[in-house]
Structures are given as C-alpha cells and as structure tokens.
Amino acid sequence: MKKIALIAAVALALPLAAVAQDAKPAAKPAAKAEAKKTPPKRQVTRKAAKAVEEVTPIADDTNVVLTDADLAVAQRVSIGRAQCELGADVTVTPDEKKPGFFTVTTKGLKYRMHPVESRTGAIRLEDPRAGAMWLQLGNKSMLMNQKAGLRIADECQTDAQVAFAAEMKKNPPKALFEGADGEKK
C-alpha cells in the first residue's frame, strides 16, 4: 500500500517538474535578449566625479533668510584655516556679498553654509542642499555630511581654538555635580 502511494506521488510530481524545467530555458533567452537591447550603464570613476565636484560652483542664490539671531551667531564663527586630525584641514571664509553666509572648503569639497541657532550654544553652520554641517565649539570643530552619515573632518582647530583648549587644560570647567563653592555634593 505504501509503495502504491509513493508511486502515485512520484507520478504526479514528474509532470510538474518537467513543466518547471521547460519554463526556465524560455526565461533565459528572453533575459539575454532584453540585456542586448539596453546598453550597459557606464560607471563614473571617483577621479572624474571629484574633478567635476571641484569645478562646480556653489550656487550664489539661496532661499535662506537669516534672522537677527542667525546674524549674531555668524559674528562668532571662527574664520580661517583649521588644522584637523589625520592631516586634513578646513577653511572657513565669510561671503563678502551676503553677510552671514560662509564658504567651507576641504579636500576638494566646497559648501555654502549659513548659521543656525542651536539650543546648546554651539556654533552651527549648515548647507541644506549638500546635507553638510560645520559644528564649532570653543576648543574644536568638525565637518559632517549628514546625508551620508560621515564625519568629513574631525578635531579641527583654529589658532583661537588651540588657545581656548590650552586654557581649558589649565583651568578646567566645573564638573556637572560640583557646587558653586567648589565642594562636590
């Protein structure tokens, strides 16, 4: 009885397997014919992309309107060349045509940034088109690409930030849980 059931199952399965095998070869020539119709996509090399990026001008026109608070933040931006870790450097230059706007350049990348008021008091410049952000603290700065989730340059310091960092080492700020009289609670 078991043998008959097994033979019946195999007999039913064989035609289905033959149909499946017949369908596969038909699909392959169709896929090959489709591949022949569309030309292969050419990859742009990194070198070519970088060359294009370096010569692409930053748009002078922006829809961003700066508030008085943004202009106050812009006055505190540390401008000039900042040395970063791993031999990188970032240069921040103010835009002479539009007060409050800055050009931030590094490694062939160029961003047109504007100040954004932050809750922490840190100086923050953003390029919403490119998704880049320059975050400047008293003792260091960093350049990030938020779209790609990358830090482009880290531990960047201008001369003023180097002096501020040295002062922080000499006179460290109070600990979070330290009282006004200097005693720990």
Side-chain angles (χ1 to χ4, degrees):
M1 192 68 142
K2 289 182 183 179
K3 287 182 182 181
I4 295 174
L6 182 62
I7 292 172
V10 170
L12 290 173
L14 283 176
L16 293 175
V19 170
Q21 286 180 352
D22 288 343
K24 286 180 185 176
K28 285 183 181 179
K32 285 181 182 177
E34 186 66 31
K36 288 180 182 177
K37 290 179 186 177
T38 58
K41 294 182 181 179
R42 294 187 179 191
Q43 295 289 331
V44 177
T45 64
R46 284 186 178 197
K47 186 175 181 181
K50 183 178 177 186
V52 169
E53 184 65 32
E54 287 177 1
V55 297
T56 302
I58 294 174
D60 289 336
D61 189 19
T62 179
N63 295 332
V64 177
V65 177
L66 299 179
T67 64
D68 290 338
D70 292 335
L71 290 172
V73 171
Q75 292 176 351
R76 299 186 346 232
V77 172
S78 184
I79 58 173
R81 187 171 177 214
Q83 277 302 127
C84 307
E85 70 179 359
L86 304 175
D89 62 78
V90 175
T91 304
V92 179
T93 53
D95 188 338
E96 295 174 4
K97 294 178 184 175
K98 276 201 137 175
F101 286 82
F102 298 87
T103 301
V104 178
T105 56
T106 184
K107 301 179 197 171
L109 300 173
K110 195 175 197 181
Y111 301 105
R112 179 176 169 79
M113 297 190 160
H114 62 87
V116 176
E117 194 174 6
S118 69
R119 291 182 286 183
T120 62
I123 295 171
R124 180 182 173 113
L125 301 177
E126 292 182 354
D127 181 345
R129 180 182 53 86
M133 179 187 68
W134 174 252
L135 185 64
Q136 178 183 315
L137 305 173
N139 61 334
K140 64 181 177 179
S141 300
M142 66 186 79
L143 181 62
M144 295 180 277
N145 185 325
Q146 293 177 324
K147 284 185 180 177
L150 297 172
R151 281 192 185 180
I152 299 169
D154 202 4
E155 297 287 329
C156 302
Q157 291 183 313
T158 61
D159 293 337
Q161 289 174 314
V162 169
F164 188 87
E167 183 62 31
M168 281 180 65
K169 285 183 181 179
K170 288 180 192 173
N171 300 315
K174 284 189 216 178
L176 183 62
F177 297 109
E178 193 173 319
D181 58 359
E183 294 180 11
K184 291 189 179 181
K185 293 184 177 182

PDB file of all heavy atoms in Angstrom, residues 46-75:
ATOM      1  N   ARG A  46      35.793  57.706  -9.539  1.00  0.00           N
ATOM      2  CA  ARG A  46      35.893  58.655  -8.432  1.00  0.00           C
ATOM      3  C   ARG A  46      36.695  59.881  -8.831  1.00  0.00           C
ATOM      4  O   ARG A  46      36.386  61.002  -8.445  1.00  0.00           O
ATOM      5  CB  ARG A  46      36.542  57.995  -7.219  1.00  0.00           C
ATOM      6  CG  ARG A  46      35.621  57.074  -6.490  1.00  0.00           C
ATOM      7  CD  ARG A  46      36.276  56.582  -5.236  1.00  0.00           C
ATOM      8  NE  ARG A  46      35.352  55.739  -4.522  1.00  0.00           N
ATOM      9  CZ  ARG A  46      35.477  55.423  -3.269  1.00  0.00           C
ATOM     10  NH1 ARG A  46      36.498  55.867  -2.572  1.00  0.00           N
ATOM     11  NH2 ARG A  46      34.593  54.663  -2.676  1.00  0.00           N
ATOM     12  N   LYS A  47      37.746  59.661  -9.606  1.00  0.00           N
ATOM     13  CA  LYS A  47      38.598  60.768 -10.033  1.00  0.00           C
ATOM     14  C   LYS A  47      37.804  61.752 -10.879  1.00  0.00           C
ATOM     15  O   LYS A  47      37.901  62.969 -10.705  1.00  0.00           O
ATOM     16  CB  LYS A  47      39.793  60.214 -10.809  1.00  0.00           C
ATOM     17  CG  LYS A  47      40.815  61.252 -11.172  1.00  0.00           C
ATOM     18  CD  LYS A  47      42.015  60.610 -11.833  1.00  0.00           C
ATOM     19  CE  LYS A  47      43.055  61.642 -12.191  1.00  0.00           C
ATOM     20  NZ  LYS A  47      44.210  61.052 -12.852  1.00  0.00           N
ATOM     21  N   ALA A  48      36.978  61.245 -11.786  1.00  0.00           N
ATOM     22  CA  ALA A  48      36.168  62.113 -12.631  1.00  0.00           C
ATOM     23  C   ALA A  48      35.116  62.845 -11.814  1.00  0.00           C
ATOM     24  O   ALA A  48      34.882  64.040 -12.009  1.00  0.00           O
ATOM     25  CB  ALA A  48      35.511  61.298 -13.735  1.00  0.00           C
ATOM     26  N   ALA A  49      34.484  62.137 -10.884  1.00  0.00           N
ATOM     27  CA  ALA A  49      33.473  62.762 -10.034  1.00  0.00           C
ATOM     28  C   ALA A  49      34.082  63.863  -9.180  1.00  0.00           C
ATOM     29  O   ALA A  49      33.497  64.932  -9.000  1.00  0.00           O
ATOM     30  CB  ALA A  49      32.807  61.715  -9.153  1.00  0.00           C
ATOM     31  N   LYS A  50      35.275  63.617  -8.659  1.00  0.00           N
ATOM     32  CA  LYS A  50      35.957  64.614  -7.838  1.00  0.00           C
ATOM     33  C   LYS A  50      36.314  65.837  -8.674  1.00  0.00           C
ATOM     34  O   LYS A  50      36.153  66.978  -8.230  1.00  0.00           O
ATOM     35  CB  LYS A  50      37.211  64.009  -7.214  1.00  0.00           C
ATOM     36  CG  LYS A  50      37.931  64.944  -6.285  1.00  0.00           C
ATOM     37  CD  LYS A  50      39.133  64.286  -5.663  1.00  0.00           C
ATOM     38  CE  LYS A  50      39.881  65.275  -4.781  1.00  0.00           C
ATOM     39  NZ  LYS A  50      41.118  64.726  -4.269  1.00  0.00           N
ATOM     40  N   ALA A  51      36.785  65.621  -9.890  1.00  0.00           N
ATOM     41  CA  ALA A  51      37.137  66.735 -10.768  1.00  0.00           C
ATOM     42  C   ALA A  51      35.915  67.595 -11.075  1.00  0.00           C
ATOM     43  O   ALA A  51      35.988  68.821 -11.072  1.00  0.00           O
ATOM     44  CB  ALA A  51      37.771  66.210 -12.053  1.00  0.00           C
ATOM     45  N   VAL A  52      34.783  66.954 -11.316  1.00  0.00           N
ATOM     46  CA  VAL A  52      33.550  67.694 -11.590  1.00  0.00           C
ATOM     47  C   VAL A  52      33.133  68.463 -10.346  1.00  0.00           C
ATOM     48  O   VAL A  52      32.744  69.629 -10.421  1.00  0.00           O
ATOM     49  CB  VAL A  52      32.427  66.737 -12.056  1.00  0.00           C
ATOM     50  CG1 VAL A  52      31.087  67.443 -12.080  1.00  0.00           C
ATOM     51  CG2 VAL A  52      32.761  66.170 -13.412  1.00  0.00           C
ATOM     52  N   GLU A  53      33.213  67.844  -9.190  1.00  0.00           N
ATOM     53  CA  GLU A  53      32.819  68.487  -7.931  1.00  0.00           C
ATOM     54  C   GLU A  53      33.677  69.710  -7.636  1.00  0.00           C
ATOM     55  O   GLU A  53      33.184  70.725  -7.154  1.00  0.00           O
ATOM     56  CB  GLU A  53      32.922  67.490  -6.773  1.00  0.00           C
ATOM     57  CG  GLU A  53      32.445  68.022  -5.451  1.00  0.00           C
ATOM     58  CD  GLU A  53      30.970  68.337  -5.404  1.00  0.00           C
ATOM     59  OE1 GLU A  53      30.199  67.647  -6.089  1.00  0.00           O
ATOM     60  OE2 GLU A  53      30.585  69.289  -4.715  1.00  0.00           O
ATOM     61  N   GLU A  54      34.965  69.622  -7.941  1.00  0.00           N
ATOM     62  CA  GLU A  54      35.870  70.738  -7.655  1.00  0.00           C
ATOM     63  C   GLU A  54      35.559  71.963  -8.506  1.00  0.00           C
ATOM     64  O   GLU A  54      35.731  73.087  -8.045  1.00  0.00           O
ATOM     65  CB  GLU A  54      37.321  70.312  -7.884  1.00  0.00           C
ATOM     66  CG  GLU A  54      37.836  69.381  -6.818  1.00  0.00           C
ATOM     67  CD  GLU A  54      39.255  68.908  -7.091  1.00  0.00           C
ATOM     68  OE1 GLU A  54      39.841  69.312  -8.098  1.00  0.00           O
ATOM     69  OE2 GLU A  54      39.755  68.127  -6.281  1.00  0.00           O
ATOM     70  N   VAL A  55      35.123  71.767  -9.731  1.00  0.00           N
ATOM     71  CA  VAL A  55      34.865  72.906 -10.607  1.00  0.00           C
ATOM     72  C   VAL A  55      33.409  73.355 -10.594  1.00  0.00           C
ATOM     73  O   VAL A  55      33.084  74.383 -11.177  1.00  0.00           O
ATOM     74  CB  VAL A  55      35.304  72.609 -12.063  1.00  0.00           C
ATOM     75  CG1 VAL A  55      36.778  72.366 -12.143  1.00  0.00           C
ATOM     76  CG2 VAL A  55      34.524  71.450 -12.649  1.00  0.00           C
ATOM     77  N   THR A  56      32.536  72.627  -9.933  1.00  0.00           N
ATOM     78  CA  THR A  56      31.137  73.024  -9.857  1.00  0.00           C
ATOM     79  C   THR A  56      31.001  74.185  -8.886  1.00  0.00           C
ATOM     80  O   THR A  56      31.361  74.058  -7.714  1.00  0.00           O
ATOM     81  CB  THR A  56      30.256  71.848  -9.384  1.00  0.00           C
ATOM     82  OG1 THR A  56      30.433  70.766 -10.282  1.00  0.00           O
ATOM     83  CG2 THR A  56      28.797  72.247  -9.328  1.00  0.00           C
ATOM     84  N   PRO A  57      30.513  75.317  -9.357  1.00  0.00           N
ATOM     85  CA  PRO A  57      30.396  76.467  -8.450  1.00  0.00           C
ATOM     86  C   PRO A  57      29.258  76.270  -7.452  1.00  0.00           C
ATOM     87  O   PRO A  57      28.283  75.576  -7.719  1.00  0.00           O
ATOM     88  CB  PRO A  57      30.087  77.628  -9.391  1.00  0.00           C
ATOM     89  CG  PRO A  57      29.451  76.994 -10.577  1.00  0.00           C
ATOM     90  CD  PRO A  57      30.048  75.620 -10.693  1.00  0.00           C
ATOM     91  N   ILE A  58      29.436  76.908  -6.313  1.00  0.00           N
ATOM     92  CA  ILE A  58      28.381  76.888  -5.304  1.00  0.00           C
ATOM     93  C   ILE A  58      27.334  77.907  -5.726  1.00  0.00           C
ATOM     94  O   ILE A  58      27.676  79.017  -6.147  1.00  0.00           O
ATOM     95  CB  ILE A  58      28.946  77.229  -3.922  1.00  0.00           C
ATOM     96  CG1 ILE A  58      29.908  76.133  -3.484  1.00  0.00           C
ATOM     97  CG2 ILE A  58      27.846  77.411  -2.903  1.00  0.00           C
ATOM     98  CD1 ILE A  58      30.617  76.430  -2.206  1.00  0.00           C
ATOM     99  N   ALA A  59      26.077  77.558  -5.604  1.00  0.00           N
ATOM    100  CA  ALA A  59      25.002  78.447  -6.013  1.00  0.00           C
ATOM    101  C   ALA A  59      25.019  79.708  -5.155  1.00  0.00           C
ATOM    102  O   ALA A  59      25.055  79.632  -3.926  1.00  0.00           O
ATOM    103  CB  ALA A  59      23.659  77.739  -5.889  1.00  0.00           C
ATOM    104  N   ASP A  60      25.033  80.872  -5.822  1.00  0.00           N
ATOM    105  CA  ASP A  60      25.009  82.144  -5.100  1.00  0.00           C
ATOM    106  C   ASP A  60      23.620  82.461  -4.580  1.00  0.00           C
ATOM    107  O   ASP A  60      23.460  83.181  -3.603  1.00  0.00           O
ATOM    108  CB  ASP A  60      25.476  83.284  -6.000  1.00  0.00           C
ATOM    109  CG  ASP A  60      26.964  83.199  -6.290  1.00  0.00           C
ATOM    110  OD1 ASP A  60      27.689  82.590  -5.491  1.00  0.00           O
ATOM    111  OD2 ASP A  60      27.373  83.745  -7.315  1.00  0.00           O
ATOM    112  N   ASP A  61      22.609  81.941  -5.246  1.00  0.00           N
ATOM    113  CA  ASP A  61      21.235  82.221  -4.850  1.00  0.00           C
ATOM    114  C   ASP A  61      20.770  81.193  -3.840  1.00  0.00           C
ATOM    115  O   ASP A  61      20.886  79.997  -4.055  1.00  0.00           O
ATOM    116  CB  ASP A  61      20.336  82.198  -6.075  1.00  0.00           C
ATOM    117  CG  ASP A  61      18.937  82.686  -5.761  1.00  0.00           C
ATOM    118  OD1 ASP A  61      18.758  83.362  -4.738  1.00  0.00           O
ATOM    119  OD2 ASP A  61      18.026  82.395  -6.551  1.00  0.00           O
ATOM    120  N   THR A  62      20.256  81.667  -2.736  1.00  0.00           N
ATOM    121  CA  THR A  62      19.726  80.758  -1.726  1.00  0.00           C
ATOM    122  C   THR A  62      18.421  81.339  -1.197  1.00  0.00           C
ATOM    123  O   THR A  62      18.243  82.554  -1.163  1.00  0.00           O
ATOM    124  CB  THR A  62      20.739  80.535  -0.591  1.00  0.00           C
ATOM    125  OG1 THR A  62      20.156  79.665   0.362  1.00  0.00           O
ATOM    126  CG2 THR A  62      21.131  81.813   0.101  1.00  0.00           C
ATOM    127  N   ASN A  63      17.532  80.482  -0.805  1.00  0.00           N
ATOM    128  CA  ASN A  63      16.241  80.933  -0.291  1.00  0.00           C
ATOM    129  C   ASN A  63      16.273  81.181   1.204  1.00  0.00           C
ATOM    130  O   ASN A  63      15.264  81.521   1.785  1.00  0.00           O
ATOM    131  CB  ASN A  63      15.160  79.899  -0.614  1.00  0.00           C
ATOM    132  CG  ASN A  63      14.949  79.777  -2.117  1.00  0.00           C
ATOM    133  OD1 ASN A  63      15.172  80.722  -2.856  1.00  0.00           O
ATOM    134  ND2 ASN A  63      14.538  78.611  -2.557  1.00  0.00           N
ATOM    135  N   VAL A  64      17.423  81.007   1.833  1.00  0.00           N
ATOM    136  CA  VAL A  64      17.530  81.152   3.271  1.00  0.00           C
ATOM    137  C   VAL A  64      17.574  82.636   3.623  1.00  0.00           C
ATOM    138  O   VAL A  64      18.360  83.400   3.069  1.00  0.00           O
ATOM    139  CB  VAL A  64      18.796  80.445   3.805  1.00  0.00           C
ATOM    140  CG1 VAL A  64      18.955  80.663   5.286  1.00  0.00           C
ATOM    141  CG2 VAL A  64      18.741  78.971   3.477  1.00  0.00           C
ATOM    142  N   VAL A  65      16.704  83.033   4.542  1.00  0.00           N
ATOM    143  CA  VAL A  65      16.699  84.401   5.053  1.00  0.00           C
ATOM    144  C   VAL A  65      17.156  84.321   6.495  1.00  0.00           C
ATOM    145  O   VAL A  65      16.558  83.619   7.313  1.00  0.00           O
ATOM    146  CB  VAL A  65      15.287  85.018   4.956  1.00  0.00           C
ATOM    147  CG1 VAL A  65      15.271  86.415   5.549  1.00  0.00           C
ATOM    148  CG2 VAL A  65      14.814  85.040   3.508  1.00  0.00           C
ATOM    149  N   LEU A  66      18.237  85.039   6.811  1.00  0.00           N
ATOM    150  CA  LEU A  66      18.805  84.978   8.148  1.00  0.00           C
ATOM    151  C   LEU A  66      18.078  85.919   9.096  1.00  0.00           C
ATOM    152  O   LEU A  66      17.760  87.054   8.743  1.00  0.00           O
ATOM    153  CB  LEU A  66      20.295  85.325   8.104  1.00  0.00           C
ATOM    154  CG  LEU A  66      21.170  84.404   7.250  1.00  0.00           C
ATOM    155  CD1 LEU A  66      22.611  84.876   7.288  1.00  0.00           C
ATOM    156  CD2 LEU A  66      21.076  82.980   7.714  1.00  0.00           C
ATOM    157  N   THR A  67      17.841  85.435  10.306  1.00  0.00           N
ATOM    158  CA  THR A  67      17.232  86.255  11.353  1.00  0.00           C
ATOM    159  C   THR A  67      18.325  87.027  12.076  1.00  0.00           C
ATOM    160  O   THR A  67      19.521  86.800  11.855  1.00  0.00           O
ATOM    161  CB  THR A  67      16.480  85.370  12.358  1.00  0.00           C
ATOM    162  OG1 THR A  67      17.433  84.528  13.021  1.00  0.00           O
ATOM    163  CG2 THR A  67      15.421  84.505  11.676  1.00  0.00           C
ATOM    164  N   ASP A  68      17.936  87.913  12.976  1.00  0.00           N
ATOM    165  CA  ASP A  68      18.916  88.653  13.766  1.00  0.00           C
ATOM    166  C   ASP A  68      19.734  87.702  14.633  1.00  0.00           C
ATOM    167  O   ASP A  68      20.936  87.903  14.820  1.00  0.00           O
ATOM    168  CB  ASP A  68      18.220  89.698  14.641  1.00  0.00           C
ATOM    169  CG  ASP A  68      17.645  90.844  13.813  1.00  0.00           C
ATOM    170  OD1 ASP A  68      18.130  91.052  12.675  1.00  0.00           O
ATOM    171  OD2 ASP A  68      16.720  91.524  14.293  1.00  0.00           O
ATOM    172  N   ALA A  69      19.084  86.655  15.149  1.00  0.00           N
ATOM    173  CA  ALA A  69      19.797  85.665  15.971  1.00  0.00           C
ATOM    174  C   ALA A  69      20.832  84.912  15.128  1.00  0.00           C
ATOM    175  O   ALA A  69      21.944  84.640  15.596  1.00  0.00           O
ATOM    176  CB  ALA A  69      18.806  84.681  16.597  1.00  0.00           C
ATOM    177  N   ASP A  70      20.492  84.592  13.885  1.00  0.00           N
ATOM    178  CA  ASP A  70      21.432  83.911  12.994  1.00  0.00           C
ATOM    179  C   ASP A  70      22.629  84.810  12.688  1.00  0.00           C
ATOM    180  O   ASP A  70      23.774  84.352  12.658  1.00  0.00           O
ATOM    181  CB  ASP A  70      20.757  83.508  11.680  1.00  0.00           C
ATOM    182  CG  ASP A  70      19.707  82.420  11.864  1.00  0.00           C
ATOM    183  OD1 ASP A  70      19.802  81.666  12.842  1.00  0.00           O
ATOM    184  OD2 ASP A  70      18.806  82.337  11.009  1.00  0.00           O
ATOM    185  N   LEU A  71      22.367  86.095  12.469  1.00  0.00           N
ATOM    186  CA  LEU A  71      23.459  87.034  12.198  1.00  0.00           C
ATOM    187  C   LEU A  71      24.363  87.198  13.418  1.00  0.00           C
ATOM    188  O   LEU A  71      25.577  87.366  13.278  1.00  0.00           O
ATOM    189  CB  LEU A  71      22.897  88.379  11.744  1.00  0.00           C
ATOM    190  CG  LEU A  71      22.251  88.374  10.355  1.00  0.00           C
ATOM    191  CD1 LEU A  71      21.549  89.692  10.082  1.00  0.00           C
ATOM    192  CD2 LEU A  71      23.274  88.080   9.279  1.00  0.00           C
ATOM    193  N   ALA A  72      23.786  87.104  14.619  1.00  0.00           N
ATOM    194  CA  ALA A  72      24.594  87.167  15.845  1.00  0.00           C
ATOM    195  C   ALA A  72      25.498  85.942  15.942  1.00  0.00           C
ATOM    196  O   ALA A  72      26.662  86.041  16.360  1.00  0.00           O
ATOM    197  CB  ALA A  72      23.689  87.281  17.069  1.00  0.00           C
ATOM    198  N   VAL A  73      24.986  84.780  15.561  1.00  0.00           N
ATOM    199  CA  VAL A  73      25.795  83.555  15.546  1.00  0.00           C
ATOM    200  C   VAL A  73      26.911  83.700  14.520  1.00  0.00           C
ATOM    201  O   VAL A  73      28.057  83.305  14.767  1.00  0.00           O
ATOM    202  CB  VAL A  73      24.922  82.313  15.238  1.00  0.00           C
ATOM    203  CG1 VAL A  73      25.770  81.088  15.008  1.00  0.00           C
ATOM    204  CG2 VAL A  73      23.936  82.064  16.371  1.00  0.00           C
ATOM    205  N   ALA A  74      26.603  84.295  13.364  1.00  0.00           N
ATOM    206  CA  ALA A  74      27.594  84.455  12.291  1.00  0.00           C
ATOM    207  C   ALA A  74      28.785  85.291  12.745  1.00  0.00           C
ATOM    208  O   ALA A  74      29.911  85.066  12.300  1.00  0.00           O
ATOM    209  CB  ALA A  74      26.943  85.084  11.064  1.00  0.00           C
ATOM    210  N   GLN A  75      28.560  86.232  13.636  1.00  0.00           N
ATOM    211  CA  GLN A  75      29.651  87.075  14.118  1.00  0.00           C
ATOM    212  C   GLN A  75      30.621  86.300  15.006  1.00  0.00           C
ATOM    213  O   GLN A  75      31.764  86.703  15.167  1.00  0.00           O
ATOM    214  CB  GLN A  75      29.096  88.282  14.873  1.00  0.00           C
ATOM    215  CG  GLN A  75      28.371  89.243  13.963  1.00  0.00           C
ATOM    216  CD  GLN A  75      27.724  90.389  14.725  1.00  0.00           C
ATOM    217  OE1 GLN A  75      27.674  90.391  15.945  1.00  0.00           O
ATOM    218  NE2 GLN A  75      27.225  91.368  13.981  1.00  0.00           N
TER     219      GLN A  75
END
